[in-house]
């Protein structure tokens, strides 16, 4: 895995990234198999999100953003397909993807920063999901670029604690995409 | 019928047609060793688990059937990691059963617990941790299916002790559909369009070479290969993993390519305008510096594993198929190059100028290792199976033995595992008891796994071992001589320590020694005449002998170094 934090959108990212949507069997150790393969072969993962897929019991979907420089796509596909638990892989070019990511941030608040903070939250279209006397927790579900922008804006506030999920993606409607490759 | 998990495991192995298991028991696998007593399956008790793994590999390489090994948890399991890695590199079908601590103890650092599925994740084709007795049949059936189909490889099944002890209602998967492998669909069938493009490339080629790898043996495609080569008259090179896939005596055979390949094989590839690469993976020991490898050649790459195509070298035509299917289809189409007379004339001059050679031996000794191999070959029955360790002796064996049929060369290629030879030879002999089996070993390699000769004697497996005793880790010595200004660092072994004859005798084998050509011939004759117990011959060979030709690691194949006696030839 990359030690660097993921820097999201195309303008800010110097890397050519690719989004792989990998349907895997929902069995113990499958994530380790996928992550281990990437580590072994020297493919860098920029972000990774996992959740149960459509048919919850049997399959999970792993959305992996890879650095296309370290990971020739044909090799990533070929090697991933050899994992017996990988059922289907589709690759979505960033330009053809609808991508979303969730950002959660808890920010210390006081009388001095409350107004500016509300401005930032409003401008980003983020929502306040939790508050106490001294903190506010905001949530944003947006493009990686949108999350980047909010992250930068919130960095100005000392003591902010911020988490991001890593992106998930589906092909943009109306754009012809690659057929999902069935496993072999 | 209600039976224990242990019984189900043995019954499943019987169901898969297993005739022999190589293994060694211990706490976690104990329950499974009880029903073995009542099974027709032969169990061969090894002296070290690494031996079990390499025996299973030797068995698989000699017979084409999957090899089976069984060991206990913890150190038993880690001892077999090297053979698993070896089988993974060489695509050898293996099923390894490991005992595991009871389910409730997993994750608690229990006695002899180790995460063997985690350890072997990257060196198995797949592995399973079985969590209920009723799942044992499916896991075993899936393991055999995975190990033997598509690109073969090792599969590990980890069996917790309490699962082996619990009971289940016996069943067995009726077919592949019941194996629950939704992500596994090994390739089958040849893409017609790609075939057409391959035929078109062939039609315009003037200097084609068939670059044949171990996949041809795995796919049992040697007959298709021979038919295709004979009709098209395309020269054939066989990699270290493919020795025996095409007869060395054939007029179209150029021998082995790569670091220690023949001059003709290496140079034909360098000058080729088309490589038909079949079941081979452009290993660095074949390509040398990749950017300088076969610079003028287009590539037709046939491989069952799609991930091999375009991994190292771009393929103009990719045939993601089984070697037998692809070669058969090309043959059916009648795909052929034009007249290759000019090409063959050129190749013949290379063969004549730079044949494999070595300096003539002295009557008083020491022996030339190449001469020992040629003499064993000449004195042994046709179809003799040869296993090797790793080092100079391995390269000389691959160069100077003449391989005529599949399954006669048992060798560690991709991993280069010292100590492979003796146990692999034992496994090969178990699989093909009617054949004479010689292990051509190094003195260094022999010392790594020689204890399995005790197994061989105890189990009545009469292999023959030729130690090419040069008193050195010879291959490393050769590199230090050539590339480290003769600064020899930690490579001297001492020809007399251990005393190999006494050691052989202590293990119940016949021990012989030969220092001169006369003694050599006598010892080979005696060894071949002994058919009831293993024989070890300590051949005292020239310490300074080096393997030629040689392409230095990372160099271009154009910079091949021929034998000193051939230097300066046109
Ligand atoms: C397990 C293992 N350790 C180290 C090596 C590195 N190595 C390759 S060849 C070789 C020397 C082998 O010596 P020997 O068996 O005497 O064969 P020789 O080269 O002398 O014929 C060594 C140490 C290896 N291939 N495998
Ligand atoms: Mg030696």
């Amino acid at each position: 895995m990359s030690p660097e934090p993921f820097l999201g959108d195309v303008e800010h990212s110097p890397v050519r990234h690719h989004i792989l949507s990998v349907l895997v069997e929902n069995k113990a150790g499958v994530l380790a198999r996928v992550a281990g393969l990437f580590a072994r072969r020297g493919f860098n993962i920029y972000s990774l999100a996992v959740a149960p897929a459509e048919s919850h019991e049997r399959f999970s979907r792993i959305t992996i953003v890879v650095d296309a420089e370290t990971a020739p796509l044909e090799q990533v596909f070929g090697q991933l397909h050899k994992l017996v638990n990988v059922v289907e892989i589709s690759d979505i070019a960033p330009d053809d993807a609808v991508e979303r990511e969730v950002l959660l941030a808890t920010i210390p608040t006081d009388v001095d920063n409350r107004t500016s903070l509300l401005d930032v939250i409003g401008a980003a279209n983020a929502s306040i999901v939790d508050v106490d006397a001294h903190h506010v927790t905001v949530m944003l579900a947006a493009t990686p670029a949108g999350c980047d922008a909010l992250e930068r804006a919130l960095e100005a506030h000392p003591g902010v604690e911020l988490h991001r999920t890593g992106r998930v993606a589906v092909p943009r409607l109306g754009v012809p995409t690659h057929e999902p490759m069935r496993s072999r | 019928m209600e039976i224990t998990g242990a019984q189900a495991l043995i019954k499943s192995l019987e169901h898969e047609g297993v005739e022999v298991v190589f293994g060694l028991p211990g706490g976690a696998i104990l329950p499974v060793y009880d029903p073995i007593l009542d099974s027709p399956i032969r169990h061969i008790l090894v002296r070290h688990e690494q031996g079990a793994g390499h025996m299973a590999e030797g068995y698989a390489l000699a017979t084409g059937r999957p090899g089976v090994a069984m060991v206990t948890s913890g150190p038993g399991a880690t001892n077999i990691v090297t053979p698993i890695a070896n089988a993974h590199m060489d695509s050898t079908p293996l099923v390894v059963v490991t005992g595991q601590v009871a389910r409730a103890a997993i994750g608690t650092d229990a006695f002899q617990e180790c995460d063997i599925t985690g350890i072997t994740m990257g060196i198995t084709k797949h592995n399973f941790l079985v969590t209920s007795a009723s799942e044992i049949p499916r896991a075993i059936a899936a393991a055999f299916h995975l190990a033997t189909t598509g690109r073969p490889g090792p599969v590990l099944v980890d069996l917790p002790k309490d699962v082996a002890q619990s009971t289940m209602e016996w069943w067995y998967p009726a077919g592949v559909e019941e194996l629950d492998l939704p992500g596994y669909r090994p390739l089958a069938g040849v893409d017609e369009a790609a075939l057409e493009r391959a035929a078109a490339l062939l039609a315009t080629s003037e200097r084609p070479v068939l670059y044949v790898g171990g996949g041809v043996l795995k796919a049992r495609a040697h007959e298709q290969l021979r038919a295709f080569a004979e009709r098209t008259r395309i020269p054939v090179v066989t990699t270290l993993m493919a020795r025996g896939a095409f007869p060395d005596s054939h007029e179209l055979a150029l021998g082995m390519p790569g670091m220690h390949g023949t001059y003709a094989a290496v140079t034909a590839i360098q000058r080729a305008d088309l490589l038909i690469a079949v079941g081979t993976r452009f290993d660095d020991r074949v390509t040398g510096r990749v950017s300088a490898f076969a610079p003028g050649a287009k590539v037709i790459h046939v491989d069952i594993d799609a991930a091999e195509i375009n991994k190292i070298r771009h393929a103009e035509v990719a045939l993601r198929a089984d070697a037998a299917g692809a070669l058969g289809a090309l043959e059916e189409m009648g795909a052929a190059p034009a007249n290759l007379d000019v090409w063959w004339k050129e190749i013949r001059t290379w063969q004549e100028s730079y044949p494999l050679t070595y300096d003539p031996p002295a009557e008083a000794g020491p022996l030339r290792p190449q001469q020992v191999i040629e003499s064993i070959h000449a004195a042994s029955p046709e179809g003799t199976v040869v296993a090797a360790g790793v080092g100079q002796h391995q390269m000389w064996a691959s160069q100077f033995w003449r391989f005529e049929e599949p399954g006669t060369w048992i060798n560690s290629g991709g991993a280069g595992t010292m100590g492979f030879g003796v146990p692999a030879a034992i496994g090969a002999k178990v699989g093909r008891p009617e054949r004479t089996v010689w292990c051509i070993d190094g003195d260094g390699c022999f010392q790594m796994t020689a204890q399995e000769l005790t197994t061989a004697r105890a189990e009545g497996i009469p292999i023959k071992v030729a130690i090419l005793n040069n008193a050195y880790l010879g291959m490393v010595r050769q590199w230090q001589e050539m590339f480290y200004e003769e600064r020899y660092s930690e490579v001297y072994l001492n020809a007399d320590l251990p005393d190999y004859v006494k050691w052989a005798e202590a293990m119940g084998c016949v021990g012989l020694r030969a220092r001169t050509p006369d003694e050599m011939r006598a010892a080979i004759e005696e060894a071949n005449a002994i058919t009831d117990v293993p024989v070890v011959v300590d051949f005292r060979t020239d310490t300074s002998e080096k393997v030629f030709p040689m392409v230095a690691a990372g160099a271009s194949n154009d910079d091949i170094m021929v034998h000193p006696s051939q230097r300066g030839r046109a």
Side-chain angles (χ1 to χ4, degrees):
Chain A
M1 295 241 187
S2 165
E4 309 266 303
F6 176 59
L7 296 176
D9 63 333
V10 183
E11 314 142 38
H12 294 282
S13 166
V15 298
R16 285 196 301 122
H17 64 245
H18 243 279
I19 306 158
L20 298 179
S21 177
V22 186
L23 192 69
V24 299
E25 283 183 85
N26 190 359
K27 286 190 173 162
V30 174
L31 183 60
R33 288 180 198 276
V34 172
L37 168 69
F38 275 70
R40 229 167 28 243
R41 299 263 171 199
F43 306 153
N44 283 347
I45 298 177
Y46 273 83
S47 86
L48 184 140
V50 199
E54 302 87 47
S55 42
H56 290 217
E57 290 288 294
R58 287 198 71 194
F59 301 111
S60 292
R61 185 169 298 281
I62 307 182
T63 308
I64 313 174
V65 182
V66 295
D67 166 4
E69 295 291 335
T70 62
L73 265 195
E74 189 182 4
Q75 263 299 293
V76 179
F77 267 72
Q79 299 297 351
L80 266 177
H81 270 304
K82 287 205 281 181
L83 295 181
V84 168
N85 299 128
V86 167
V87 179
E88 191 179 286
I89 311 171
S90 33
D91 129 53
I92 316 170
D95 293 345
D96 300 340
V98 175
E99 305 171 73
R100 288 297 181 272
E101 187 173 357
V102 170
L103 178 155
L104 280 177
T106 299
I107 310 117
T109 53
D110 54 38
V111 276
D112 297 335
N113 74 357
R114 200 154 287 157
T115 328
S116 67
L117 192 56
L118 286 175
D119 284 349
V120 168
I121 294 168
N125 254 331
S127 30
I128 294 173
V129 291
D130 198 13
V131 283
D132 70 8
H134 306 289
H135 302 85
V136 56
T137 295
V138 300
M139 189 274 290
L140 176 67
T143 61
C147 290
D148 286 347
L150 178 60
E151 181 171 347
R152 280 193 302 278
L154 290 177
E155 271 165 10
H157 296 269
V160 61
E161 193 184 311
L162 190 143
H163 297 268
R164 292 169 65 160
T165 55
R167 71 186 69 180
V168 292
V170 290
R172 198 176 288 288
L173 297 176
V175 177
T177 52
H178 302 260
E179 284 283 294
M181 277 179 66
R182 304 292 294 179
S183 194
R184 59 171 79 89
Chain B
M1 186 187 29
E2 181 108 322
I3 59 175
T4 67
Q7 288 170 322
L9 182 87
I10 297 301
K11 224 168 141 70
S12 299
L13 295 178
E14 288 170 6
H15 232 268
E16 292 295 331
V18 174
E19 55 168 24
V20 58
V21 172
F22 304 93
L24 194 150
I29 196 75
L30 253 174
V32 182
Y33 269 81
D34 188 70
I36 280 187
L37 288 172
D38 308 319
S39 170
I41 293 176
R42 178 180 184 189
H43 182 276
I44 290 178
L45 174 62
V46 298
R47 271 36 176 187
H48 185 294
E49 289 87 350
Q50 183 184 359
H54 291 323
M55 285 178 204
E57 290 183 273
Y59 176 90
L61 290 169
T63 64
R65 299 194 292 274
V68 183
M70 191 154 74
V71 298
T72 194
S73 66
T78 55
N79 272 350
I80 205 165
V81 166
T82 298
I84 291 172
N86 191 79
H88 188 59
M89 289 295 264
D90 287 349
S91 309
T92 305
L94 225 58
V95 173
V96 176
V97 179
T98 49
Q100 182 55 278
V101 300
R103 283 170 296 178
I106 290 178
T108 66
D109 305 312
F111 178 64
Q112 293 191 330
E113 179 185 358
C114 113
D115 173 21
I116 196 64
T117 50
I119 287 173
T120 59
M121 215 170 248
I123 51 169
T124 48
K125 183 166 172 183
H126 194 57
N127 59 30
F128 300 91
L129 171 65
V130 182
T131 53
S132 80
S134 59
E135 277 303 305
I136 289 172
R138 198 196 317 273
I140 293 296
F144 278 87
H145 179 61
L146 290 168
T148 54
T149 54
R151 180 178 181 168
V155 179
L156 181 140
V157 179
D158 200 19
L159 183 67
K161 185 171 187 175
D162 64 319
V163 174
Q165 287 166 324
S166 61
T167 58
M168 55 92 76
E169 190 62 36
W170 172 251
W171 72 288
Y172 206 76
V176 173
E177 321 74 53
E178 289 183 27
L179 298 185
D180 189 26
L181 298 170
Y184 184 70
R185 262 164 249 113
L187 272 187
V190 191
D191 173 8
E192 290 297 326
L195 265 182
E196 297 284 345
R197 282 184 285 122
L201 275 186
L202 265 168
T204 57
S205 170
E206 294 172 354
R207 297 188 306 281
V209 172
L210 268 159
Y211 158 30
V212 170
V216 168
L217 290 173
K218 298 288 171 352
R220 296 185 177 85
H222 52 284
E223 275 163 21
Q224 287 86 344
L225 169 67
R226 183 160 178 166
F228 180 70
E230 284 182 344
R231 185 179 52 77
T232 58
R233 302 200 45 76
I234 298 175
V236 181
V237 305
T238 42
T239 68
L240 184 67
M241 291 310 300
R243 309 290 289 129
F246 193 77
D248 278 333
S249 58
H250 200 286
E251 54 159 355
L252 300 174
L254 305 190
M256 185 171 75
M259 182 174 267
H260 294 297
T262 66
Y263 185 88
V266 171
T267 308
I269 288 179
Q270 289 305 92
R271 300 282 177 279
D273 65 4
L274 179 66
L275 292 183
I276 305 111
V278 190
T280 194
R281 57 185 176 84
F282 295 82
D283 181 82
D284 54 270
R285 283 322 195 236
V286 167
T287 62
R289 194 191 323 137
V290 174
S291 60
F293 177 71
K298 294 204 162 90
V299 173
I300 298 169
H301 194 171
V302 178
D303 208 293
I304 188 87
D305 179 356
E308 288 303 339
I309 292 168
N310 296 330
K311 184 181 84 175
I312 304 291
R313 171 71 179 246
H314 172 70
E316 273 72 18
V317 177
L319 285 168
R320 296 187 177 87
D322 164 82
L327 285 169
L330 282 172
E331 188 52 15
E332 221 161 83
M333 290 174 82
N339 188 303
L340 298 180
D341 288 351
V342 178
W343 181 221
W344 271 110
K345 222 172 135 207
E346 211 174 343
I347 291 170
R348 294 298 179 215
T349 64
W350 298 328
Q351 288 181 309
E352 278 153 28
S353 299
Y354 303 109
L356 290 170
T357 189
Y358 56 93
D359 291 331
E363 272 315 305
L367 298 164
R368 295 275 176 214
Q370 302 94 330
Q371 165 203 22
V372 177
I373 291 161
E374 286 189 330
S375 304
I376 295 174
H377 177 255
S380 301
E382 229 174 86
T384 292
V385 176
V386 186
V390 169
Q392 292 182 310
H393 62 280
Q394 171 196 29
M395 292 297 109
W396 287 317
S398 69
Q399 290 177 334
F400 287 91
W401 196 273
R402 313 279 292 172
F403 296 97
E404 300 296 328
E405 55 167 315
T408 53
W409 173 232
I410 312 297
N411 157 78
S412 164
T417 305
M418 282 177 72
F420 176 81
V422 167
I426 294 170
K429 181 73 181 171
V430 169
R432 302 179 85 176
E434 76 292 355
R435 299 283 180 126
T436 298
V437 177
W438 270 96
C439 169
I440 308 284
D441 217 359
D443 45 333
C445 287
F446 184 80
Q447 293 187 60
M448 288 201 178
T449 49
Q451 79 285 343
E452 297 309 335
L453 283 167
T454 308
T455 307
R457 172 60 208 256
E459 295 277 346
I461 308 163
I463 63 161
K464 304 173 202 311
V465 182
I467 304 174
L468 301 188
N469 182 358
N470 55 4
Y472 274 93
L473 298 169
M475 185 57 93
V476 182
R477 185 194 180 283
Q478 173 168 349
W479 285 47
Q480 290 177 348
E481 178 180 333
M482 296 174 72
F483 310 119
Y484 290 85
E485 288 108 32
E486 301 181 40
R487 284 164 55 82
Y488 299 116
S489 174
E490 303 300 325
V491 286
Y492 177 62
L493 293 177
N494 190 338
D496 298 307
L497 183 69
D499 182 326
Y500 295 100
V501 171
K502 282 190 189 155
W503 192 5
E505 287 168 357
M507 293 186 287
C509 307
V510 173
L512 304 170
R513 180 168 292 130
R515 299 173 189 274
T516 66
D518 283 343
E519 290 176 10
M520 174 194 76
R521 279 182 284 274
I524 293 170
E525 201 176 313
E526 192 177 344
N528 273 336
I530 297 168
T531 53
D532 53 346
V533 292
V535 187
V536 176
V537 190
D538 173 13
F539 292 102
R540 296 302 174 91
T541 63
D542 191 337
T543 287
S544 61
E545 195 60 45
K546 288 181 285 299
V547 185
F548 287 110
M550 177 171 192
V551 178
S556 160
N557 282 348
D558 290 335
D559 299 326
I560 182 169
M561 290 178 270
V562 294
H563 189 269
S565 68
Q566 298 172 329
R567 299 210 178 129
R569 275 185 211 180

